[in-house]
Amino acid sequence: MRDRWLILGIVIVVVFVLWRAFYVPPGYETIKYETVPVLPAEQHNPPLLEIWEAMEEQIPFDNRTARLMLFDMRFDANGSLNVIQFSFTADMEGEPWAHSAFVLRNGSTYLSSQRIDFSASGPHPLGALTAVDSIPFDEVPYGKRGVNLNIFCHEENRTYDDTYGNIYAALDGTLRPLKEISFATPEVWHTVEIYPFPEPAEIDPNDNRTSRRIDEIPEALVIFAPREIALAERVVYAETNGTERI
């Protein structure tokens, strides 16, 4: 009888271990898509809108519920794409999921979806991709170590002026330097912010901050897409000192 209970106990433990090994909680259920498109990744021409088209083709998400989560892009010192990380939330079959694209420098693209237990708020991701797509990347200074590009969404009134150092409008295929730009609109607007990778430096143990503000990095760029220029309440171009009210 003792041996029987011992065997039964071993069977229960084995079943439990196997169940734990193969059980995935709903919040972590992940789909990795087998068909991985290869997108064109030419120098100064990252495949931004192509990423969105590929995700629409591969992933059956509800476009109306799509909300931006993350957009991060990195370039080397020659201006060649290293990697793109892009993610957003959107419902599938009425349930919230997070969808991600990971694009390497050769254009290899990996798509995945992960079930989540919340519905995100924020703007539609296509507006952010369109903003980045308007940038003339052949005019961007890439520094000695390359740069990191992020896009940020804003809903508050705000003014950018000379304290930010390098602020530009992406218009007509070029970067036009700005002296000032201000927003007072209920609509969501975007900034494309490009940070140079810093030279290796010793870490100050007395500095508890995890990151510097954009206006503390003289080499950083803040770029406004054509839509944002149209939404701005006041735009002052640096080269002519002229003022436009939109």
Side-chain angles (χ1 to χ4, degrees), residues 83-194:
V83 66
I84 297 174
Q85 299 179 74
F86 170 56
S87 61
F88 62 94
T89 63
D91 292 355
M92 288 200 305
E93 297 183 351
E95 297 183 339
W97 287 70
H99 312 282
S100 301
F102 190 78
V103 185
L104 301 179
R105 64 186 309 151
N106 64 356
S108 298
T109 305
Y110 302 89
L111 307 180
S112 64
S113 298
Q114 184 178 64
R115 190 192 300 272
I116 56 178
D117 56 4
F118 64 92
S119 295
S121 60
H124 193 280
L126 192 54
L129 292 178
T130 302
V132 181
D133 192 56
S134 69
I135 295 175
F137 285 99
D138 57 336
E139 294 191 12
V140 172
Y142 293 95
K144 295 181 179 180
R145 298 172 58 85
V147 297
N148 191 84
L149 182 150
N150 298 106
I151 188 158
F152 296 95
C153 305
H154 308 274
E155 296 182 78
E156 74 280 3
N157 298 344
R158 191 168 181 179
T159 296
Y160 293 77
D161 54 27
D162 293 343
T163 60
Y164 288 87
N166 298 309
I167 53 176
Y168 292 88
L171 293 175
D172 303 322
T174 189
L175 292 179
R176 295 185 60 184
L178 295 170
K179 185 176 182 180
E180 180 184 333
I181 183 170
S182 60
F183 293 87
T185 173
E187 296 191 49
V188 174
W189 48 278
H190 306 91
T191 53
V192 180
E193 302 184 7
I194 301 177

Side-chain angles (χ1 to χ4, degrees), residues 159-160 180-184 229 231-236 243-246:
T159 296
Y160 293 77
E180 180 184 333
I181 183 170
S182 60
F183 293 87
I229 297 299
L231 285 175
E233 181 184 45
R234 175 180 170 85
V235 180
V236 181
T243 302
E244 292 186 19
R245 281 188 184 274
I246 308 299

